[in-house]
Amino acid sequence: MKKKLLKGLAVLGAACASMEVYNRITYAKVKKLENTLSGETGYHDTVFGKVFYTKKGFGPSLLLVHDTSVGSSSFLWRNNFEELANNFTVYAIDLPGFGRSEKRPLTYTSEVYTYVIKNFVDEVIGKKCSCISSSLSSAYAIQVEHDDPGTFDRIIAISPTGIFHKSDIPGSLGKVTTKAFNIPIVGSFVYNILSSKPSLSGFMKEKIYHNKDIASSYVVNHYANSAKQDGDLSKYAPASLIGGYLNQPISEALANLETPLYVIWGANSTTNPIDNLKTFLDVNPSLNYHVFENCGEYPQEEYAYDFNVKAIEFLSREL
């Protein structure tokens, strides 16, 4: 019995040692994340860490908030930033735990991000602005406007969540999953596999883009690099996402929202299917929306020109 136990411990120890070697090799290959947006850059201090942002343009202020998928950052707006900056003063941020922003060993929650978005508007932009947001971040923007009316002039929500999809608080399984990712060595090993180039490439081609060619090696490499930008600290926000801590219910906020809202969806979205648009219309029948055909999760990438035209038109419209 004792020999079997010792043998088991030896096997476990060898497995952990192998995983740690893999983790170290993986992190050693990570390069400093490139900022693909041209403009003035800076960091804003918040209680949840420094927030990286890029600013460019003149005119009314516009905030861009990326989604919370693994490896996401303001890179999401690379096909929109320049054109929008011709019409607005554009701020593109990396949320805490993502991109070039600070990452901390904590459980991130939707409250963290609604706080950061509101704080950034108040302390950096310094006045009411418009907002374009993606997926879960659209729920955060809508919730911010509900809690503090007048924060935003207008909101464009791309494939938003928060009615049924990604609206539940974390359950027991979600909590255990998040804690599992936070286990030293093993949790990092699992995260590094999840955020590897092959894994991200397969996910993007299967779940994100209708046009698979957009998931080029350049795009995949950027996401993989972003996902491991700060070593072990990079896993905490995605672990919180997987466990459900980033979910944000917005049924009440959407029903009572008076700020102009424009919802944009891809007809071929798979992680957040177009059928979920109906749940938004059930809550707010007067909702303005547009559906891009032959398009996945990111219309701002797959149909960048048309998206930019529609966004500028909506944001410039007389109230």
Side-chain angles (χ1 to χ4, degrees):
M1 183 69 178
K2 185 177 180 180
K3 288 184 179 180
K4 288 184 179 180
L5 177 60
L6 290 175
K7 184 178 180 180
L9 290 174
V11 171
L12 180 60
C16 287
S18 297
M19 285 187 270
E20 179 60 7
V21 169
Y22 176 84
N23 291 339
R24 291 188 180 188
I25 292 174
T26 298
Y27 294 142
K29 293 179 179 179
V30 177
K31 299 177 181 179
K32 184 177 180 180
L33 191 63
E34 171 193 14
N35 180 24
T36 58
L37 309 181
S38 64
E40 171 190 342
T41 62
Y43 284 90
H44 170 58
D45 286 323
T46 77
V47 296
F48 298 108
K50 295 180 183 295
V51 173
F52 175 79
Y53 68 93
T54 306
K55 173 186 176 183
K56 188 172 186 177
F58 299 93
S61 296
L62 171 62
L63 175 65
L64 306 182
V65 189
H66 63 83
D67 67 350
T68 56
S69 61
V70 174
S72 193
S73 67
S74 52
F75 178 74
L76 184 68
W77 310 109
R78 65 195 179 280
N79 297 328
N80 320 108
F81 190 77
E82 291 290 333
E83 185 62 31
L84 293 172
N86 289 330
N87 297 269
F88 308 96
T89 302
V90 186
Y91 298 79
I93 65 172
D94 287 352
L95 293 170
F98 293 90
R100 290 162 64 106
S101 287
E102 187 175 350
K103 301 166 185 66
R104 294 181 176 177
L106 55 85
T107 299
Y108 290 86
T109 65
S110 60
E111 288 81 7
V112 169
Y113 294 129
T114 53
Y115 169 86
V116 167
I117 291 170
K118 174 61 177 173
N119 179 262
F120 189 88
V121 173
D122 289 345
E123 297 193 4
V124 179
I125 299 178
K127 57 185 176 181
K128 182 187 292 189
C129 67
S130 293
C131 180
I132 303 179
S133 50
S134 179
S135 190
L136 268 166
S137 292
S138 292
Y140 304 153
I142 292 169
Q143 190 63 45
V144 166
E145 180 60 19
H146 174 263
D147 294 341
D148 294 282
T151 300
F152 297 125
D153 280 318
R154 300 171 175 85
I155 299 171
I156 296 178
I158 304 168
S159 301
T161 64
I163 304 302
F164 292 114
H165 183 56
K166 292 190 179 298
S167 62
D168 296 332
I169 61 174
S172 299
L173 179 59
K175 293 177 181 179
V176 170
T177 301
T178 296
K179 289 181 179 179
F181 272 98
N182 297 340
I183 296 173
I185 302 179
V186 178
S188 298
F189 176 77
V190 174
Y191 175 69
N192 284 329
I193 294 295
L194 178 69
S195 59
S196 66
K197 292 176 185 178
S199 178
L200 288 173
S201 178
F203 180 75
M204 289 179 179
K205 290 177 180 179
E206 185 71 24
K207 299 291 186 180
I208 298 298
Y209 299 116
H210 181 70
N211 178 2
K212 315 301 182 188
D213 292 340
I214 296 179
S216 63
S217 58
Y218 169 70
V219 171
V220 172
N221 288 344
H222 190 97
Y223 271 82
N225 195 37
S226 177
K228 293 178 282 289
Q229 191 59 203
D230 292 278
D232 272 348
L233 293 174
S234 299
K235 69 183 179 181
Y236 286 91
S240 301
L241 168 71
I242 293 170
Y245 285 93
L246 303 191
N247 293 354
Q248 174 65 55
I250 59 165
S251 292
E252 180 182 352
L254 181 64
N256 296 294
L257 191 70
E258 296 184 0
T259 301
L261 173 65
Y262 188 29
V263 170
I264 296 179
W265 224 292
N268 303 94
S269 175
T270 55
T271 62
N272 188 9
I274 186 64
D275 289 348
N276 288 333
L277 173 58
K278 184 178 183 300
T279 66
F280 277 75
L281 292 171
D282 288 342
V283 174
N284 191 333
S286 62
L287 196 66
N288 292 313
Y289 67 92
H290 179 80
V291 177
F292 280 96
E293 299 296 331
N294 300 311
C295 181
E297 301 295 319
Y298 298 153
Q300 71 271 36
E301 290 190 52
E302 297 202 50
Y303 290 91
Y305 176 82
D306 292 328
F307 175 89
N308 293 338
V309 169
K310 290 185 177 299
I312 292 168
E313 179 184 358
F314 173 76
L315 296 174
S316 303
R317 189 180 303 160
E318 290 290 336
L319 293 177

